[in-house]
Amino acid sequence: MRLNLTNALLSSLPLALPSSHALFASSKFKFTFPLGICIRVRALNTFSSLQTTRHDDHDDLFAPIPTPRHVDKAANAIERIALRLRNLGLASSDHADDDDFLRREWLRPDEALLPWDKREGEEYEEHEEQQKEKLKKKSVNAATLAEKTLEEEEMRRLRTLGMSLKEKVTIPKAGLTRAVLDKIHRQWSNCELVRLKFHEFLAQNMKLAHQIVECRTRGLVIWRSGSYMWVYRGKNYQGPMQPNEKDGDDQIPVAADGDAALLLEKSEEVFLKEEKMTPEEVEFNRMLDDFGPRFVEWWGTGILPIDADLLAPTVPGYKTPLRLLPAGMHPRLTNDELTNMRKLAKSLPCHFALGRNRNLQGLASAILRLWEKSLVAKIGVKRGIVNTNNELMAQELKKLTGGTLLLRNKYYIVIYRGRDFVPTSVAAVIAERQEMTKHVQDVEEKVRCKVHDVAPSREDESKSQAGSLAEFFEAQACWGRDISTEERERMRQEVTKAKNDKLAKKNECKLAVAQAKRLTAEKLLAKIEASLVPVGPDYDKETITDEERVMFRSVGLRMKAYLPLGIRGVFDGVIENMHLHWRHRELVKLITKQKTLAFVEDTARLLEYESGGILVAIDKVPKGFSLIYYRGKNYRRPVTLRPRNLLTKAKALQRSIAMQRHEALSQHVTELVGKIEKMKKELSEDEFSDGDDNRGDFNGEEHTDYKNDQLA
């Protein structure tokens, strides 16, 4: 037997209340349950379908209601579903004793956990991995030579000493020249440190400057910041050394007193340095020894180039080298080949260092000898020298050598020898063969001349005049006819007429093209102006008196703030700016650069209709024409400041460009039409005059013939 606990509770509640049963039963009064009872009732409604056990008759129906099983608050959604199923009696009773029903794994093992279900251990591992990745990405600066050789206390002492340095040695654009090195050594003779200030190229690449300073001065850089640097002379500093200009970066320092033992020791050091170099670098360094002295003030690192300014400016008997292209080979390089050549030249050190623009025959001869071993010649432009022009240098070298210019900028010039380059030895053999061939031809010509001299010749025979001007005059006198002045004039008129006809046809073609372009411009202009719907005049409008107009005009002309009207003309942004001005002041002044007063008046009228203001005055000012508008006494700011019926800023610019194009084409068409009409008129007049002359001649001849017949 099922018992509805809710109905039983409702039927028994009035007995427990202090009010009488009659009041509760009356329909005139509405009974309101207390809050706790309402909550109990809702809870019972939820479990009204549960099975209940019937008690004995003496059981009190109004005893405390037993709490259903498993109504404790669940921890998550799965437990709440499980409790609901168990309370409804749908769960098996086998799981009543143990909580296996709630301890089940409701997630599939192959499904990934959601981000909020991740365990703390996994989050910690991810955090550690991210920290490791960040540490890997951080670049650790390599230890400098000073940090490796000096102790921390010594470094701290030197940096403290460097803070008190006031004098500095300025490194110019040319880099560490000999004069700069002398200044550094003079300061080192008085102090352990020297402060350097870099400019231009080296200031932008302080890592390169660091290497150059330690290489040239044999000192240690203990601190570097921005374009400044502190250099320590070292513990065993013995004064400046004179470098040998032959071996480039592998310099042999020679002592000032010429000690032979020290020279031998330094030579062994250079030999050890050559052992550390790659075989290609050693070969490149030794190859440059045959071309001339080195440029010891080179601003870069590595092998020092040849100083091209010390080479001979002129070479006696110098000629542009012989060039011969092999059969079936294209003379020019393709784009891919040029790119590969530039990449090859980028990795090479410079062969020469050049600082003058002209007199480069000595450098050109050295480049020709270099091309026998290398495809390209790389020339570095010296820095810090006045009036250096890399364009003039490249033109001069290209003219002297005949090579192909691959690259030219303010730092480098790269010249390719070309596919038709012939080495000097091969060119000598080819020149010898050409001389031999010429000698054989001369011998054959002498033999032919001897045979011709043996044959009898006539002394009175005149020389041949074939193809000469005398022959032409002779033939003209024999077979030609004289051209009269009238005939010559008629021929000139025919030539002029033919030219005019040709020019008229050309102008007609231009006219057709211009008319087609003008039609296209008209279509574009009509398409843009389709969205422009100007507002008409408002006849019910506020007016101002003459006194107010004069006052507003004087105030407006004195205003400094104004709105410019450019080539776009009137668009929605202009009206918006006018309303924004009227928000703070009663007047607004606009200045337009239109030159025609009629156009200015049309623009002023359009602005008055669109903005709703009152046009006060149009005045000529130095910047153009000024338009002054009064907002009115009953002015109210509109809801939308930008009117929808006007063009936008972009479309206004397109309209302005289209109007300019249409105006220019219209003017061009007008000029062509006038020119064609004038030419046609001239042609018709010429034809008419020619016809009159012919008719006159014909009539005269006919009259003369008639008179002769009569006389006969």
Side-chain angles (χ1 to χ4, degrees):
M1 177 180 179
R2 291 180 176 273
L3 179 63
N4 195 336
L5 297 178
T6 305
N7 295 334
L9 180 60
L10 290 174
S11 60
S12 60
L13 277 174
L15 299 176
L17 293 174
S19 59
S20 63
H21 181 70
L23 291 173
F24 178 75
S26 176
S27 61
K28 296 181 180 179
F29 298 93
K30 292 184 179 180
F31 180 77
T32 304
F33 292 100
L35 181 61
I37 298 175
C38 292
I39 295 174
R40 290 286 302 273
V41 169
R42 290 174 185 171
L44 290 172
N45 284 329
T46 306
F47 303 104
S48 59
S49 60
L50 297 177
Q51 295 182 359
T52 55
T53 307
R54 183 178 178 181
H55 299 278
D56 296 335
D57 295 338
H58 62 276
D59 292 341
D60 190 1
L61 292 176
F62 307 105
I65 301 174
T67 305
R69 297 178 301 169
H70 310 290
V71 293
D72 298 335
K73 292 184 179 179
N76 51 35
I78 298 297
E79 292 184 3
R80 287 197 296 270
I81 295 171
L83 292 174
R84 178 63 60 83
L85 293 174
R86 182 171 295 169
N87 292 331
L88 294 176
L90 300 178
S92 60
S93 60
D94 299 336
H95 303 286
D97 298 333
D98 55 350
D99 292 332
D100 182 61
F101 186 76
L102 299 177
R103 295 173 185 172
R104 288 184 188 178
E105 186 66 32
W106 294 94
L107 295 173
R108 293 176 58 184
D110 57 342
E111 292 183 356
L113 292 175
L114 295 174
W116 50 81
D117 293 333
K118 288 185 178 180
R119 291 173 294 181
E120 295 181 357
E122 295 179 356
E123 294 179 356
Y124 180 73
E125 292 177 359
E126 289 182 359
H127 181 69
E128 286 187 347
E129 291 178 358
Q130 292 177 359
Q131 293 295 333
K132 290 181 180 179
E133 290 179 358
K134 289 182 180 179
L135 292 175
K136 289 180 181 178
K137 291 181 181 178
K138 288 184 179 179
S139 59
V140 180
N141 295 329
T144 61
L145 183 61
E147 293 175 353
K148 292 179 181 179
T149 55
L150 299 178
E151 298 179 356
E152 294 183 2
E153 295 181 358
E154 184 69 10
M155 289 284 292
R156 195 179 301 111
R157 183 187 69 82
L158 291 173
R159 287 173 179 171
T160 305
L161 177 62
M163 293 179 185
S164 60
L165 291 176
K166 294 183 179 180
E167 296 183 2
K168 64 181 179 181
V169 177
T170 303
I171 309 298
K173 183 179 180 180
L176 285 174
T177 60
R178 288 188 176 180
V180 175
L181 289 175
D182 293 341
K183 290 182 181 179
I184 293 174
H185 287 294
R186 279 199 299 270
Q187 285 202 12
W188 272 348
S189 62
N190 300 325
C191 182
E192 294 179 312
L193 294 179
V194 63
R195 183 186 180 193
L196 304 181
K197 166 67 176 175
F198 291 86
H199 294 279
E200 298 290 338
F201 177 74
L202 290 177
Q204 300 173 3
N205 192 351
M206 289 298 290
K207 290 184 179 180
L208 177 62
H210 188 139
Q211 299 176 6
I212 293 173
V213 167
E214 290 186 344
C215 179
R216 299 283 174 83
T217 62
R218 308 296 179 183
L220 298 175
V221 178
I222 62 169
W223 181 81
R224 189 183 78 211
S225 177
S227 59
Y228 286 90
M229 186 182 294
W230 296 344
V231 187
Y232 175 50
R233 67 184 181 184
K235 296 180 180 179
N236 301 324
Y237 177 70
Q238 298 179 359
M241 295 291 182
Q242 296 179 357
N244 188 7
E245 298 180 357
K246 180 180 178 181
D247 295 323
D249 191 24
D250 305 325
Q251 300 170 1
I252 303 177
V254 181
D257 55 355
D259 191 1
L262 183 60
L263 177 62
L264 181 61
E265 182 181 353
K266 297 300 179 182
S267 301
E268 292 178 356
E269 291 181 3
V270 170
F271 180 74
L272 293 175
K273 284 186 178 180
E274 280 195 357
E275 287 185 349
K276 295 180 181 179
M277 295 171 63
T278 61
E280 292 80 6
E281 292 177 350
V282 173
E283 183 181 359
F284 188 91
N285 189 25
R286 293 179 179 177
M287 179 186 67
L288 295 181
D289 294 340
D290 303 331
F291 296 103
R294 301 296 182 91
F295 180 58
V296 295
E297 296 180 357
W298 178 245
W299 56 87
T301 58
I303 302 171
L304 295 182
I306 303 299
D307 193 350
D309 293 340
L310 299 180
L311 299 177
T314 57
V315 177
Y318 179 82
K319 294 182 180 180
T320 304
L322 174 67
R323 289 188 172 273
L324 185 64
L325 186 68
M329 183 175 290
H330 198 274
R332 294 184 179 181
L333 296 174
T334 61
N335 292 336
D336 295 339
E337 290 173 343
L338 286 172
T339 303
N340 294 332
M341 285 290 178
R342 292 190 183 103
K343 289 181 180 178
L344 176 64
K346 186 178 180 180
S347 59
L348 287 176
C350 286
H351 300 94
F352 303 95
L354 182 60
R356 65 184 180 212
N357 303 329
R358 300 295 184 185
N359 300 325
L360 304 178
Q361 289 186 0
L363 175 60
S365 60
I367 289 174
L368 293 178
R369 286 187 288 128
L370 175 66
W371 276 346
E372 296 179 2
K373 302 178 182 179
S374 175
L375 293 176
V376 296
K378 189 173 182 180
I379 302 119
V381 181
K382 290 184 179 180
R383 300 170 187 173
I385 299 179
V386 184
N387 297 331
T388 55
N389 192 334
N390 57 79
E391 185 176 1
L392 295 178
M393 295 176 185
Q395 290 177 358
E396 185 75 11
L397 290 175
K398 187 177 179 181
K399 180 181 178 181
L400 292 173
T401 61
T404 303
L405 184 63
L406 292 180
L407 178 65
R408 176 185 65 81
N409 54 31
K410 62 181 181 180
Y411 300 124
Y412 303 104
I413 298 173
V414 181
I415 301 178
Y416 172 56
R417 67 182 185 182
R419 292 177 174 176
D420 54 352
F421 173 74
V422 180
T424 307
S425 57
V426 180
V429 174
I430 293 175
E432 184 180 355
R433 287 296 183 93
Q434 288 179 351
E435 290 291 335
M436 187 182 298
T437 304
K438 186 178 180 181
H439 178 69
V440 172
Q441 290 177 354
D442 292 341
V443 172
E444 292 178 354
E445 188 66 23
K446 288 180 181 179
V447 172
R448 291 194 194 96
C449 290
K450 287 180 181 179
V451 174
H452 182 69
D453 293 339
V454 171
S457 60
R458 299 176 183 178
E459 295 181 359
D460 57 345
E461 185 178 1
S462 61
K463 295 182 180 180
S464 176
Q465 296 181 355
S468 62
L469 184 61
E471 182 186 9
F472 169 74
F473 284 134
E474 184 180 354
Q476 187 74 11
C478 295
W479 298 288
R481 66 183 182 86
D482 295 334
I483 300 174
S484 62
T485 307
E486 296 177 356
E487 191 175 358
R488 191 181 300 275
E489 187 67 25
R490 184 169 53 81
M491 291 171 65
R492 288 179 179 176
Q493 290 178 0
E494 289 178 357
V495 172
T496 305
K497 183 180 178 181
K499 288 183 178 179
N500 291 337
D501 290 339
K502 186 176 180 181
L503 187 59
K505 290 181 180 179
K506 187 176 180 181
N507 289 334
E508 288 177 357
C509 293
K510 287 184 178 179
L511 178 62
V513 173
Q515 287 177 348
K517 289 184 177 179
R518 185 175 64 173
L519 183 60
T520 305
E522 288 177 357
K523 291 181 180 179
L524 179 61
L525 188 59
K527 183 179 178 181
I528 295 173
E529 289 182 345
S531 57
L532 176 61
V533 184
V535 177
D538 186 8
Y539 298 103
D540 187 13
K541 190 177 181 181
E542 183 181 348
T543 59
I544 58 176
T545 61
D546 295 339
E547 292 81 2
E548 290 176 339
R549 187 180 298 275
V550 172
M551 186 268 294
F552 288 148
R553 177 178 175 274
S554 61
V555 172
L557 290 175
R558 289 196 302 268
M559 288 174 59
K560 293 184 179 180
Y562 68 91
L563 293 176
L565 276 180
I567 60 173
R568 293 180 176 85
V570 180
F571 60 97
D572 56 359
V574 177
I575 307 301
E576 181 186 11
N577 288 333
M578 291 179 68
H579 287 295
L580 292 176
H581 272 254
W582 281 337
R583 183 180 180 181
H584 303 286
R585 56 181 68 89
E586 294 181 343
L587 296 177
V588 61
K589 180 170 69 172
L590 296 93
I591 293 181
T592 177
K593 294 185 179 181
Q594 293 175 344
K595 298 180 180 180
T596 309
L597 182 60
F599 292 160
V600 174
E601 290 177 353
D602 293 341
T603 303
R605 198 176 298 110
L606 180 59
L607 285 170
E608 186 178 11
Y609 297 159
E610 295 293 340
S611 64
I614 302 171
L615 178 62
V616 176
I618 301 175
D619 293 299
K620 179 70 176 176
V621 293
K623 294 182 179 180
F625 285 92
S626 68
L627 310 175
I628 303 171
Y629 290 90
Y630 173 55
R631 68 181 182 182
K633 299 176 183 178
N634 301 324
Y635 170 74
R636 289 186 180 181
R637 189 177 180 185
V639 179
T640 57
L641 298 180
R642 292 193 177 189
R644 301 293 181 86
N645 58 326
L646 293 181
L647 299 176
T648 61
K649 187 177 182 180
K651 286 189 177 181
L653 180 60
Q654 294 178 3
R655 177 174 176 267
S656 175
I657 295 172
M659 289 178 65
Q660 292 178 6
R661 184 184 295 114
H662 182 267
E663 184 179 357
L665 289 171
S666 300
Q667 186 178 359
H668 183 54
V669 167
T670 305
E671 292 177 357
L672 286 176
V673 169
K675 190 182 294 185
I676 291 171
E677 290 179 355
K678 183 179 179 181
M679 295 177 67
K680 286 183 178 180
K681 186 177 180 181
E682 291 177 355
L683 290 173
S684 62
E685 289 178 356
D686 293 340
E687 291 177 358
F688 181 73
S689 61
D690 293 343
D692 289 344
D693 294 340
N694 292 332
R695 284 195 294 273
D697 295 342
F698 176 76
N699 293 334
E701 291 176 0
E702 186 180 6
H703 180 67
T704 305
D705 294 340
Y706 176 76
K707 290 180 78 175
N708 292 334
D709 293 340
Q710 291 292 334
L711 291 172

